[in-house]
Amino acid sequence: QVQLVESGGGLVQTGGSLRLSCVASGRYFSEYYMGWFRQTPGKERAFVAGIHWTGGSSYYDDSAKGRFTISSDMAKNTVYLQMNSLKPGDTAVYYCAAGSAWYSPIPSTYVYWGQGTQVTVSS
């Protein structure tokens, strides 16, 4: 069992930045591929970025490329999502997830999910 706890969401103006954190715990969490997803009301969860604890290339949705950076810190059991140049369209609940399929943008391939953190970007 893996537990994931997100934090770092909030209200920010257009062009601002936020850094989301996802602290992982439980057995074998470091074996999983980690993803960030986001969801707005009435829509399915959408992949934002992914990374593996042991290295390898990070992977981004086109909407995140050049603005968001995913990183991991094994010593702190934490995965981060640095979000810069935020736009109102980035407003969503952001979720951290753990799965076995590397580079997968498909939510159903992720087994464990956090509770989510709200990000609101004002115009």
Side-chain angles (χ1 to χ4, degrees):
Q1 193 77 359
V2 174
Q3 294 80 41
L4 304 172
V5 179
E6 304 99 331
S7 62
L11 174 63
V12 65
Q13 291 185 335
T14 296
S17 298
L18 283 174
R19 188 178 78 160
L20 306 183
S21 300
C22 172
V23 179
S25 61
R27 296 189 70 181
Y28 309 121
F29 73 88
S30 62
E31 297 182 0
Y32 289 93
Y33 188 80
M34 302 299 295
W36 281 100
F37 289 77
R38 63 187 181 185
Q39 188 173 26
T40 54
K43 293 189 176 181
E44 295 185 356
R45 290 185 186 182
F47 177 80
V48 176
I51 195 169
H52 197 278
W53 293 102
T54 59
S57 299
S58 51
Y59 178 54
Y60 297 92
D61 180 74
D62 286 345
S63 64
K65 288 179 181 177
R67 299 189 300 127
F68 295 3
T69 303
I70 189 170
S71 61
S72 62
D73 186 339
M74 279 284 287
K76 296 182 178 180
N77 297 0
T78 303
V79 174
Y80 302 97
L81 184 68
Q82 177 68 44
M83 305 187 295
N84 299 327
S85 302
L86 284 163
K87 308 172 184 178
D90 295 317
T91 295
V93 177
Y94 283 71
Y95 296 91
C96 175
S100 299
W102 285 49
Y103 307 116
S104 174
I106 303 172
S108 62
T109 64
Y110 290 78
V111 178
Y112 301 104
W113 292 85
Q115 83 288 350
T117 185
Q118 175 71 46
V119 171
T120 303
V121 184
S122 64
S123 57

mmCIF file with all atom_site columns, all heavy atoms in Angstrom, residues 85-106:
data_model
loop_
_atom_site.group_PDB
_atom_site.id
_atom_site.type_symbol
_atom_site.label_atom_id
_atom_site.label_alt_id
_atom_site.label_comp_id
_atom_site.label_asym_id
_atom_site.label_entity_id
_atom_site.label_seq_id
_atom_site.pdbx_PDB_ins_code
_atom_site.Cartn_x
_atom_site.Cartn_y
_atom_site.Cartn_z
_atom_site.occupancy
_atom_site.B_iso_or_equiv
_atom_site.pdbx_formal_charge
_atom_site.auth_seq_id
_atom_site.auth_comp_id
_atom_site.auth_asym_id
_atom_site.auth_atom_id
_atom_site.pdbx_PDB_model_num
ATOM 1   N N   . SER A 1 85  ? 4.547  30.613 -14.997 1.00 0.00 ? 85  SER A N   1
ATOM 2   C CA  . SER A 1 85  ? 3.740  31.256 -16.051 1.00 0.00 ? 85  SER A CA  1
ATOM 3   C C   . SER A 1 85  ? 2.324  30.703 -16.069 1.00 0.00 ? 85  SER A C   1
ATOM 4   O O   . SER A 1 85  ? 1.788  30.336 -17.120 1.00 0.00 ? 85  SER A O   1
ATOM 5   C CB  . SER A 1 85  ? 4.410  31.055 -17.412 1.00 0.00 ? 85  SER A CB  1
ATOM 6   O OG  . SER A 1 85  ? 5.714  31.580 -17.417 1.00 0.00 ? 85  SER A OG  1
ATOM 7   N N   . LEU A 1 86  ? 1.734  30.652 -14.900 1.00 0.00 ? 86  LEU A N   1
ATOM 8   C CA  . LEU A 1 86  ? 0.409  30.052 -14.786 1.00 0.00 ? 86  LEU A CA  1
ATOM 9   C C   . LEU A 1 86  ? -0.653 30.883 -15.495 1.00 0.00 ? 86  LEU A C   1
ATOM 10  O O   . LEU A 1 86  ? -0.571 32.113 -15.553 1.00 0.00 ? 86  LEU A O   1
ATOM 11  C CB  . LEU A 1 86  ? 0.052  29.867 -13.319 1.00 0.00 ? 86  LEU A CB  1
ATOM 12  C CG  . LEU A 1 86  ? 0.760  28.680 -12.645 1.00 0.00 ? 86  LEU A CG  1
ATOM 13  C CD1 . LEU A 1 86  ? 0.702  28.804 -11.131 1.00 0.00 ? 86  LEU A CD1 1
ATOM 14  C CD2 . LEU A 1 86  ? 0.144  27.367 -13.101 1.00 0.00 ? 86  LEU A CD2 1
ATOM 15  N N   . LYS A 1 87  ? -1.633 30.150 -16.022 1.00 0.00 ? 87  LYS A N   1
ATOM 16  C CA  . LYS A 1 87  ? -2.729 30.757 -16.776 1.00 0.00 ? 87  LYS A CA  1
ATOM 17  C C   . LYS A 1 87  ? -4.047 30.359 -16.127 1.00 0.00 ? 87  LYS A C   1
ATOM 18  O O   . LYS A 1 87  ? -4.115 29.323 -15.438 1.00 0.00 ? 87  LYS A O   1
ATOM 19  C CB  . LYS A 1 87  ? -2.720 30.234 -18.208 1.00 0.00 ? 87  LYS A CB  1
ATOM 20  C CG  . LYS A 1 87  ? -1.403 30.346 -18.936 1.00 0.00 ? 87  LYS A CG  1
ATOM 21  C CD  . LYS A 1 87  ? -1.474 29.616 -20.271 1.00 0.00 ? 87  LYS A CD  1
ATOM 22  C CE  . LYS A 1 87  ? -0.151 29.625 -20.994 1.00 0.00 ? 87  LYS A CE  1
ATOM 23  N NZ  . LYS A 1 87  ? -0.208 28.877 -22.285 1.00 0.00 ? 87  LYS A NZ  1
ATOM 24  N N   . PRO A 1 88  ? -5.124 31.121 -16.367 1.00 0.00 ? 88  PRO A N   1
ATOM 25  C CA  . PRO A 1 88  ? -6.424 30.709 -15.815 1.00 0.00 ? 88  PRO A CA  1
ATOM 26  C C   . PRO A 1 88  ? -6.814 29.291 -16.234 1.00 0.00 ? 88  PRO A C   1
ATOM 27  O O   . PRO A 1 88  ? -7.481 28.583 -15.472 1.00 0.00 ? 88  PRO A O   1
ATOM 28  C CB  . PRO A 1 88  ? -7.373 31.753 -16.399 1.00 0.00 ? 88  PRO A CB  1
ATOM 29  C CG  . PRO A 1 88  ? -6.528 32.984 -16.535 1.00 0.00 ? 88  PRO A CG  1
ATOM 30  C CD  . PRO A 1 88  ? -5.176 32.459 -16.972 1.00 0.00 ? 88  PRO A CD  1
ATOM 31  N N   . GLY A 1 89  ? -6.407 28.852 -17.397 1.00 0.00 ? 89  GLY A N   1
ATOM 32  C CA  . GLY A 1 89  ? -6.699 27.507 -17.865 1.00 0.00 ? 89  GLY A CA  1
ATOM 33  C C   . GLY A 1 89  ? -6.012 26.416 -17.079 1.00 0.00 ? 89  GLY A C   1
ATOM 34  O O   . GLY A 1 89  ? -6.346 25.240 -17.232 1.00 0.00 ? 89  GLY A O   1
ATOM 35  N N   . ASP A 1 90  ? -5.057 26.777 -16.226 1.00 0.00 ? 90  ASP A N   1
ATOM 36  C CA  . ASP A 1 90  ? -4.399 25.803 -15.362 1.00 0.00 ? 90  ASP A CA  1
ATOM 37  C C   . ASP A 1 90  ? -5.180 25.560 -14.081 1.00 0.00 ? 90  ASP A C   1
ATOM 38  O O   . ASP A 1 90  ? -4.812 24.689 -13.279 1.00 0.00 ? 90  ASP A O   1
ATOM 39  C CB  . ASP A 1 90  ? -2.993 26.286 -14.999 1.00 0.00 ? 90  ASP A CB  1
ATOM 40  C CG  . ASP A 1 90  ? -2.070 26.383 -16.202 1.00 0.00 ? 90  ASP A CG  1
ATOM 41  O OD1 . ASP A 1 90  ? -2.095 25.460 -17.039 1.00 0.00 ? 90  ASP A OD1 1
ATOM 42  O OD2 . ASP A 1 90  ? -1.346 27.397 -16.306 1.00 0.00 ? 90  ASP A OD2 1
ATOM 43  N N   . THR A 1 91  ? -6.252 26.322 -13.877 1.00 0.00 ? 91  THR A N   1
ATOM 44  C CA  . THR A 1 91  ? -7.073 26.139 -12.682 1.00 0.00 ? 91  THR A CA  1
ATOM 45  C C   . THR A 1 91  ? -7.672 24.738 -12.668 1.00 0.00 ? 91  THR A C   1
ATOM 46  O O   . THR A 1 91  ? -8.316 24.315 -13.630 1.00 0.00 ? 91  THR A O   1
ATOM 47  C CB  . THR A 1 91  ? -8.189 27.184 -12.639 1.00 0.00 ? 91  THR A CB  1
ATOM 48  O OG1 . THR A 1 91  ? -7.597 28.482 -12.495 1.00 0.00 ? 91  THR A OG1 1
ATOM 49  C CG2 . THR A 1 91  ? -9.131 26.923 -11.472 1.00 0.00 ? 91  THR A CG2 1
ATOM 50  N N   . ALA A 1 92  ? -7.440 24.016 -11.582 1.00 0.00 ? 92  ALA A N   1
ATOM 51  C CA  . ALA A 1 92  ? -7.907 22.633 -11.472 1.00 0.00 ? 92  ALA A CA  1
ATOM 52  C C   . ALA A 1 92  ? -7.528 22.092 -10.099 1.00 0.00 ? 92  ALA A C   1
ATOM 53  O O   . ALA A 1 92  ? -6.767 22.727 -9.358  1.00 0.00 ? 92  ALA A O   1
ATOM 54  C CB  . ALA A 1 92  ? -7.273 21.759 -12.552 1.00 0.00 ? 92  ALA A CB  1
ATOM 55  N N   . VAL A 1 93  ? -8.047 20.916 -9.805  1.00 0.00 ? 93  VAL A N   1
ATOM 56  C CA  . VAL A 1 93  ? -7.527 20.144 -8.683  1.00 0.00 ? 93  VAL A CA  1
ATOM 57  C C   . VAL A 1 93  ? -6.392 19.273 -9.231  1.00 0.00 ? 93  VAL A C   1
ATOM 58  O O   . VAL A 1 93  ? -6.575 18.572 -10.235 1.00 0.00 ? 93  VAL A O   1
ATOM 59  C CB  . VAL A 1 93  ? -8.611 19.263 -8.043  1.00 0.00 ? 93  VAL A CB  1
ATOM 60  C CG1 . VAL A 1 93  ? -8.003 18.424 -6.910  1.00 0.00 ? 93  VAL A CG1 1
ATOM 61  C CG2 . VAL A 1 93  ? -9.747 20.117 -7.506  1.00 0.00 ? 93  VAL A CG2 1
ATOM 62  N N   . TYR A 1 94  ? -5.256 19.349 -8.585  1.00 0.00 ? 94  TYR A N   1
ATOM 63  C CA  . TYR A 1 94  ? -4.080 18.609 -9.033  1.00 0.00 ? 94  TYR A CA  1
ATOM 64  C C   . TYR A 1 94  ? -3.881 17.384 -8.132  1.00 0.00 ? 94  TYR A C   1
ATOM 65  O O   . TYR A 1 94  ? -3.900 17.497 -6.901  1.00 0.00 ? 94  TYR A O   1
ATOM 66  C CB  . TYR A 1 94  ? -2.846 19.498 -9.011  1.00 0.00 ? 94  TYR A CB  1
ATOM 67  C CG  . TYR A 1 94  ? -2.806 20.453 -10.177 1.00 0.00 ? 94  TYR A CG  1
ATOM 68  C CD1 . TYR A 1 94  ? -3.693 21.526 -10.243 1.00 0.00 ? 94  TYR A CD1 1
ATOM 69  C CD2 . TYR A 1 94  ? -1.914 20.272 -11.222 1.00 0.00 ? 94  TYR A CD2 1
ATOM 70  C CE1 . TYR A 1 94  ? -3.681 22.388 -11.324 1.00 0.00 ? 94  TYR A CE1 1
ATOM 71  C CE2 . TYR A 1 94  ? -1.884 21.142 -12.300 1.00 0.00 ? 94  TYR A CE2 1
ATOM 72  C CZ  . TYR A 1 94  ? -2.780 22.189 -12.344 1.00 0.00 ? 94  TYR A CZ  1
ATOM 73  O OH  . TYR A 1 94  ? -2.765 23.049 -13.426 1.00 0.00 ? 94  TYR A OH  1
ATOM 74  N N   . TYR A 1 95  ? -3.681 16.246 -8.780  1.00 0.00 ? 95  TYR A N   1
ATOM 75  C CA  . TYR A 1 95  ? -3.518 14.982 -8.080  1.00 0.00 ? 95  TYR A CA  1
ATOM 76  C C   . TYR A 1 95  ? -2.158 14.368 -8.376  1.00 0.00 ? 95  TYR A C   1
ATOM 77  O O   . TYR A 1 95  ? -1.675 14.410 -9.517  1.00 0.00 ? 95  TYR A O   1
ATOM 78  C CB  . TYR A 1 95  ? -4.591 13.978 -8.517  1.00 0.00 ? 95  TYR A CB  1
ATOM 79  C CG  . TYR A 1 95  ? -5.998 14.359 -8.179  1.00 0.00 ? 95  TYR A CG  1
ATOM 80  C CD1 . TYR A 1 95  ? -6.779 15.086 -9.071  1.00 0.00 ? 95  TYR A CD1 1
ATOM 81  C CD2 . TYR A 1 95  ? -6.564 13.969 -6.967  1.00 0.00 ? 95  TYR A CD2 1
ATOM 82  C CE1 . TYR A 1 95  ? -8.080 15.432 -8.763  1.00 0.00 ? 95  TYR A CE1 1
ATOM 83  C CE2 . TYR A 1 95  ? -7.871 14.306 -6.646  1.00 0.00 ? 95  TYR A CE2 1
ATOM 84  C CZ  . TYR A 1 95  ? -8.622 15.035 -7.549  1.00 0.00 ? 95  TYR A CZ  1
ATOM 85  O OH  . TYR A 1 95  ? -9.910 15.372 -7.238  1.00 0.00 ? 95  TYR A OH  1
ATOM 86  N N   . CYS A 1 96  ? -1.594 13.769 -7.362  1.00 0.00 ? 96  CYS A N   1
ATOM 87  C CA  . CYS A 1 96  ? -0.402 12.961 -7.493  1.00 0.00 ? 96  CYS A CA  1
ATOM 88  C C   . CYS A 1 96  ? -0.831 11.503 -7.562  1.00 0.00 ? 96  CYS A C   1
ATOM 89  O O   . CYS A 1 96  ? -1.782 11.104 -6.874  1.00 0.00 ? 96  CYS A O   1
ATOM 90  C CB  . CYS A 1 96  ? 0.481  13.214 -6.272  1.00 0.00 ? 96  CYS A CB  1
ATOM 91  S SG  . CYS A 1 96  ? 1.962  12.210 -6.154  1.00 0.00 ? 96  CYS A SG  1
ATOM 92  N N   . ALA A 1 97  ? -0.144 10.706 -8.378  1.00 0.00 ? 97  ALA A N   1
ATOM 93  C CA  . ALA A 1 97  ? -0.522 9.308  -8.540  1.00 0.00 ? 97  ALA A CA  1
ATOM 94  C C   . ALA A 1 97  ? 0.712  8.435  -8.726  1.00 0.00 ? 97  ALA A C   1
ATOM 95  O O   . ALA A 1 97  ? 1.754  8.912  -9.196  1.00 0.00 ? 97  ALA A O   1
ATOM 96  C CB  . ALA A 1 97  ? -1.457 9.144  -9.733  1.00 0.00 ? 97  ALA A CB  1
ATOM 97  N N   . ALA A 1 98  ? 0.576  7.165  -8.385  1.00 0.00 ? 98  ALA A N   1
ATOM 98  C CA  . ALA A 1 98  ? 1.661  6.199  -8.528  1.00 0.00 ? 98  ALA A CA  1
ATOM 99  C C   . ALA A 1 98  ? 1.164  4.995  -9.310  1.00 0.00 ? 98  ALA A C   1
ATOM 100 O O   . ALA A 1 98  ? 0.091  4.453  -9.017  1.00 0.00 ? 98  ALA A O   1
ATOM 101 C CB  . ALA A 1 98  ? 2.163  5.756  -7.156  1.00 0.00 ? 98  ALA A CB  1
ATOM 102 N N   . GLY A 1 99  ? 1.968  4.585  -10.297 1.00 0.00 ? 99  GLY A N   1
ATOM 103 C CA  . GLY A 1 99  ? 1.578  3.451  -11.117 1.00 0.00 ? 99  GLY A CA  1
ATOM 104 C C   . GLY A 1 99  ? 2.784  2.672  -11.597 1.00 0.00 ? 99  GLY A C   1
ATOM 105 O O   . GLY A 1 99  ? 3.927  3.067  -11.360 1.00 0.00 ? 99  GLY A O   1
ATOM 106 N N   . SER A 1 100 ? 2.538  1.590  -12.300 1.00 0.00 ? 100 SER A N   1
ATOM 107 C CA  . SER A 1 100 ? 3.623  0.716  -12.740 1.00 0.00 ? 100 SER A CA  1
ATOM 108 C C   . SER A 1 100 ? 4.047  0.963  -14.175 1.00 0.00 ? 100 SER A C   1
ATOM 109 O O   . SER A 1 100 ? 5.113  0.506  -14.589 1.00 0.00 ? 100 SER A O   1
ATOM 110 C CB  . SER A 1 100 ? 3.197  -0.749 -12.587 1.00 0.00 ? 100 SER A CB  1
ATOM 111 O OG  . SER A 1 100 ? 2.921  -1.047 -11.229 1.00 0.00 ? 100 SER A OG  1
ATOM 112 N N   . ALA A 1 101 ? 3.252  1.666  -14.946 1.00 0.00 ? 101 ALA A N   1
ATOM 113 C CA  . ALA A 1 101 ? 3.546  1.868  -16.365 1.00 0.00 ? 101 ALA A CA  1
ATOM 114 C C   . ALA A 1 101 ? 4.302  3.176  -16.561 1.00 0.00 ? 101 ALA A C   1
ATOM 115 O O   . ALA A 1 101 ? 3.770  4.257  -16.356 1.00 0.00 ? 101 ALA A O   1
ATOM 116 C CB  . ALA A 1 101 ? 2.257  1.875  -17.167 1.00 0.00 ? 101 ALA A CB  1
ATOM 117 N N   . TRP A 1 102 ? 5.556  3.036  -16.981 1.00 0.00 ? 102 TRP A N   1
ATOM 118 C CA  . TRP A 1 102 ? 6.346  4.242  -17.196 1.00 0.00 ? 102 TRP A CA  1
ATOM 119 C C   . TRP A 1 102 ? 5.769  5.065  -18.347 1.00 0.00 ? 102 TRP A C   1
ATOM 120 O O   . TRP A 1 102 ? 5.313  4.510  -19.356 1.00 0.00 ? 102 TRP A O   1
ATOM 121 C CB  . TRP A 1 102 ? 7.784  3.855  -17.545 1.00 0.00 ? 102 TRP A CB  1
ATOM 122 C CG  . TRP A 1 102 ? 8.585  3.374  -16.388 1.00 0.00 ? 102 TRP A CG  1
ATOM 123 C CD1 . TRP A 1 102 ? 8.218  2.423  -15.470 1.00 0.00 ? 102 TRP A CD1 1
ATOM 124 C CD2 . TRP A 1 102 ? 9.907  3.777  -16.025 1.00 0.00 ? 102 TRP A CD2 1
ATOM 125 N NE1 . TRP A 1 102 ? 9.229  2.224  -14.568 1.00 0.00 ? 102 TRP A NE1 1
ATOM 126 C CE2 . TRP A 1 102 ? 10.279 3.032  -14.881 1.00 0.00 ? 102 TRP A CE2 1
ATOM 127 C CE3 . TRP A 1 102 ? 10.814 4.687  -16.565 1.00 0.00 ? 102 TRP A CE3 1
ATOM 128 C CZ2 . TRP A 1 102 ? 11.519 3.195  -14.262 1.00 0.00 ? 102 TRP A CZ2 1
ATOM 129 C CZ3 . TRP A 1 102 ? 12.053 4.846  -15.948 1.00 0.00 ? 102 TRP A CZ3 1
ATOM 130 C CH2 . TRP A 1 102 ? 12.379 4.106  -14.812 1.00 0.00 ? 102 TRP A CH2 1
ATOM 131 N N   . TYR A 1 103 ? 5.837  6.362  -18.176 1.00 0.00 ? 103 TYR A N   1
ATOM 132 C CA  . TYR A 1 103 ? 5.443  7.328  -19.212 1.00 0.00 ? 103 TYR A CA  1
ATOM 133 C C   . TYR A 1 103 ? 3.969  7.218  -19.604 1.00 0.00 ? 103 TYR A C   1
ATOM 134 O O   . TYR A 1 103 ? 3.583  7.682  -20.675 1.00 0.00 ? 103 TYR A O   1
ATOM 135 C CB  . TYR A 1 103 ? 6.317  7.174  -20.462 1.00 0.00 ? 103 TYR A CB  1
ATOM 136 C CG  . TYR A 1 103 ? 7.792  7.229  -20.185 1.00 0.00 ? 103 TYR A CG  1
ATOM 137 C CD1 . TYR A 1 103 ? 8.600  6.112  -20.424 1.00 0.00 ? 103 TYR A CD1 1
ATOM 138 C CD2 . TYR A 1 103 ? 8.375  8.364  -19.649 1.00 0.00 ? 103 TYR A CD2 1
ATOM 139 C CE1 . TYR A 1 103 ? 9.949  6.162  -20.151 1.00 0.00 ? 103 TYR A CE1 1
ATOM 140 C CE2 . TYR A 1 103 ? 9.728  8.420  -19.367 1.00 0.00 ? 103 TYR A CE2 1
ATOM 141 C CZ  . TYR A 1 103 ? 10.511 7.305  -19.619 1.00 0.00 ? 103 TYR A CZ  1
ATOM 142 O OH  . TYR A 1 103 ? 11.853 7.344  -19.348 1.00 0.00 ? 103 TYR A OH  1
ATOM 143 N N   . SER A 1 104 ? 3.161  6.627  -18.752 1.00 0.00 ? 104 SER A N   1
ATOM 144 C CA  . SER A 1 104 ? 1.752  6.491  -19.104 1.00 0.00 ? 104 SER A CA  1
ATOM 145 C C   . SER A 1 104 ? 0.976  7.749  -18.776 1.00 0.00 ? 104 SER A C   1
ATOM 146 O O   . SER A 1 104 ? 1.014  8.224  -17.649 1.00 0.00 ? 104 SER A O   1
ATOM 147 C CB  . SER A 1 104 ? 1.130  5.312  -18.367 1.00 0.00 ? 104 SER A CB  1
ATOM 148 O OG  . SER A 1 104 ? -0.267 5.283  -18.621 1.00 0.00 ? 104 SER A OG  1
ATOM 149 N N   . PRO A 1 105 ? 0.207  8.290  -19.741 1.00 0.00 ? 105 PRO A N   1
ATOM 150 C CA  . PRO A 1 105 ? -0.668 9.427  -19.469 1.00 0.00 ? 105 PRO A CA  1
ATOM 151 C C   . PRO A 1 105 ? -2.099 8.990  -19.131 1.00 0.00 ? 105 PRO A C   1
ATOM 152 O O   . PRO A 1 105 ? -2.976 9.833  -19.010 1.00 0.00 ? 105 PRO A O   1
ATOM 153 C CB  . PRO A 1 105 ? -0.633 10.177 -20.803 1.00 0.00 ? 105 PRO A CB  1
ATOM 154 C CG  . PRO A 1 105 ? -0.546 9.089  -21.817 1.00 0.00 ? 105 PRO A CG  1
ATOM 155 C CD  . PRO A 1 105 ? 0.283  7.985  -21.164 1.00 0.00 ? 105 PRO A CD  1
ATOM 156 N N   . ILE A 1 106 ? -2.329 7.702  -18.993 1.00 0.00 ? 106 ILE A N   1
ATOM 157 C CA  . ILE A 1 106 ? -3.681 7.169  -18.802 1.00 0.00 ? 106 ILE A CA  1
ATOM 158 C C   . ILE A 1 106 ? -3.968 6.992  -17.323 1.00 0.00 ? 106 ILE A C   1
ATOM 159 O O   . ILE A 1 106 ? -3.294 6.209  -16.644 1.00 0.00 ? 106 ILE A O   1
ATOM 160 C CB  . ILE A 1 106 ? -3.834 5.821  -19.535 1.00 0.00 ? 106 ILE A CB  1
ATOM 161 C CG1 . ILE A 1 106 ? -3.499 6.004  -21.024 1.00 0.00 ? 106 ILE A CG1 1
ATOM 162 C CG2 . ILE A 1 106 ? -5.238 5.280  -19.359 1.00 0.00 ? 106 ILE A CG2 1
ATOM 163 C CD1 . ILE A 1 106 ? -3.432 4.709  -21.793 1.00 0.00 ? 106 ILE A CD1 1
#
